[in-house]
Structures are given as C-alpha cells and as structure tokens.
Amino acid sequence: MKREDLEKILKLHKEWLDNEEDGQKANLGGEDLRDEDLSWADLRGADLSWADLRGADLSWADLRGADFQGVSLQEANLIGADLREANLRNADLNEAYRPEGLEGYKISKEGYIINKKKEKEDERKVKRKRIGRKRV
C-alpha cells in the first residue's frame, strides 16, 4: 500500500472516530503493511484482519477493539500499544515486541485480550452470589 493512501485512510478513520460526517472506518484488511510506521496511530475499531504487519511499528498505537484476526505481527513493535478488546484470533505474534504490561492479560478462546485481574474479580463476585444464595 502506498504511504499516501495509508495516510488518507488514517485521516478518514480519525474523522470517523470523531463522528465527523465524511469520516470512514479504516478497512485495512488483507493489506501489505510490512515495515510501516504506525506508531502513535489511533486505530480503535479498525479492520486489519489478515493484513501483513510483519516488522511494522505499532508502538504506542491505540488499537482498542481493532480486528487483528489472522494478522501476521512477526517482529512488529507493540511496545506501549493499547490492545484492550482487540481481536487477535489466529494472529501470529511470534517474535513480536510485546507490551511489557501484557503479562496481566491473556487471550481468550475467541481471540480477545482479557484482563486476568478483572476476570478473577468477576469470578469472586459470582462465587459470593452463589454462597449468598445458599445461606438464604
């Protein structure tokens, strides 16, 4: 993909995020984005499914809720990237530079990033409810 085309898509996506009339959600599915600099990009909710992002710089990018299904992220820089609620089903993260804080998260069966601490808190709440019902 040409850099000018990518910049246009990113600009339209930002307008879409800002609810501007001419804005358009980024659809980068299946695109060749190898070695692209997407650092600090705001790609919340973008479709990047099956794109080739090998060696891409996604450091400090806002990728919340983005679709990375089947994406190749080998050797991509994800340091500081916000991947909350991103779909990583079938994504290849081999040798990717991952966010340091990712150890507090896991990837669900559906391919979404889940906060382990929040999941444990939710489990405790469910247990308390069950215990509370037995006492009544």
Side-chain angles (χ1 to χ4, degrees), residues 109-121:
K109 292 176 187 174
E110 295 80 26
Y112 294 94
I113 294 178
I114 299 170
N115 182 328
K116 287 182 186 177
K117 186 177 179 181
K118 184 172 180 346
E119 186 180 47
K120 284 184 181 179
E121 288 171 8

Side-chain angles (χ1 to χ4, degrees), residues 21-74:
E21 194 173 315
D22 294 332
Q24 197 172 22
K25 181 179 172 178
N27 182 356
L28 295 164
E31 293 291 342
D32 183 352
L33 300 169
R34 285 178 287 177
D35 301 314
E36 282 291 346
D37 182 0
L38 293 165
S39 58
W40 296 97
D42 189 347
L43 287 166
R44 287 175 287 157
D47 179 6
L48 292 134
S49 58
W50 305 102
D52 188 349
L53 285 160
R54 288 178 287 170
D57 184 359
L58 293 158
S59 59
W60 305 104
D62 191 342
L63 307 171
R64 289 176 287 170
D67 186 357
F68 284 96
Q69 183 171 346
V71 168
S72 178
L73 288 161
Q74 294 171 325

Side-chain angles (χ1 to χ4, degrees), residues 7-24:
E7 287 176 9
K8 183 178 179 181
I9 289 169
L10 293 174
K11 181 181 179 288
L12 288 170
H13 187 70
K14 179 167 180 7
E15 291 172 4
W16 177 76
L17 289 169
D18 293 338
N19 293 316
E20 293 182 23
E21 194 173 315
D22 294 332
Q24 197 172 22

